[in-house]
Amino acid sequence: MSTKAGVGMRHHRNPEVAGREAGEKALETAGIERPDFVFAFASVGYDQPALLGAVRKATQGVPLCGSSGEGIIAGTEADESNFSVAVMAISSDELRFDSAIATDLKRDSEGAGRRIAEALRLKIDHDALAVVMLADGLTLNFDRFLTGFEAGVGAGRPLPLFGGPSADHWEMKHTYQYCDDRVVSDGVACPLVSGRA
């Protein structure tokens, strides 16, 4: 049993080139042809749907979650420009990833938490490890989100929830969250990680 992961980071200003090259580099670094799951993080200078489409094509359309950030850190490299993207490709026979996305955090963070829990509830098994939360840092009310999430998951063993807020380039105007082919704002993307780790 094994888990392989690789990261690719690119800075090209063309979103299709940057997304494709970052995805290809992640696969190369991991030493895999097809991942099981992909994380993607990008700065906000890009056309977000075009960038995500290129990442998805390069990684063969496998499940993906991610978000925008003020800067991108990968390995020993950090970049706070408007044009950076990092992709992590993961292949594992030990871990499983199931994702959900919800919007409308500003108006109803508690409802978004419930919707995420409801989307993931049937996937939460005895080997569920954690939920990664990538939420719009401008509109999230974490306490209300957590209340909704915990109510939606229901009683049972605690399920750790961790992650971080999406950001823009310190403009405090617009962030992005990604889940598979969807790019949203005022949202939260949450992969459930299960298995052995």
Side-chain angles (χ1 to χ4, degrees):
M1 298 183 79
S2 68
T3 298
K4 295 180 179 181
V7 175
M9 186 166 175
R10 289 296 183 261
H11 312 283
H12 200 287
R13 288 179 175 255
N14 181 307
E16 287 89 0
V17 173
R20 177 179 49 80
E21 289 182 356
E24 289 172 352
K25 184 64 175 178
L27 294 173
E28 177 187 323
T29 304
I32 58 178
E33 290 184 20
R34 181 179 172 84
D36 295 310
F37 191 79
V38 170
F39 282 101
F41 299 93
S43 51
V44 296
Y46 292 114
D47 174 314
Q48 300 288 304
L51 178 73
L52 187 64
V55 171
R56 298 272 291 153
K57 186 174 181 182
T59 57
Q60 302 175 51
V62 303
L64 174 149
C65 273
S67 70
S68 64
E70 184 278 324
I72 305 301
I73 301 171
T76 60
E77 187 176 358
D79 187 301
E80 294 186 356
S81 75
N82 267 334
F83 298 96
S84 58
V85 56
V87 173
M88 175 184 278
I90 302 169
S91 174
S92 181
D93 56 9
E94 301 170 305
L95 299 173
R96 295 184 318 280
F97 298 87
D98 295 285
S99 301
I101 192 166
T103 58
D104 210 16
L105 285 178
K106 185 174 185 176
R107 188 186 65 79
D108 187 11
S109 284
E110 186 172 337
R114 278 193 311 273
R115 290 189 300 279
I116 291 291
E118 289 165 6
L120 296 176
R121 186 180 313 131
L122 295 178
K123 305 288 185 177
I124 298 173
D125 205 349
H126 69 282
D127 63 349
L129 298 169
V131 172
V132 180
M133 183 177 119
L134 304 168
D136 190 324
L138 303 176
T139 61
L140 171 70
N141 179 319
F142 177 75
D143 292 335
R144 289 185 179 157
F145 179 89
L146 185 61
T147 296
F149 179 77
E150 288 178 339
V153 168
R157 71 177 181 86
L159 184 61
L161 179 68
F162 67 93
S166 306
D168 57 16
H169 202 63
W170 288 109
E171 293 181 9
M172 309 298 277
K173 293 179 181 175
H174 210 78
T175 73
Y176 302 93
Q177 298 74 49
Y178 322 134
C179 186
D180 297 334
D181 293 320
R182 292 186 65 189
V183 177
V184 302
S185 293
D186 188 30
V188 56
C190 293
L192 166 68
V193 184
S194 305
R196 295 179 55 197

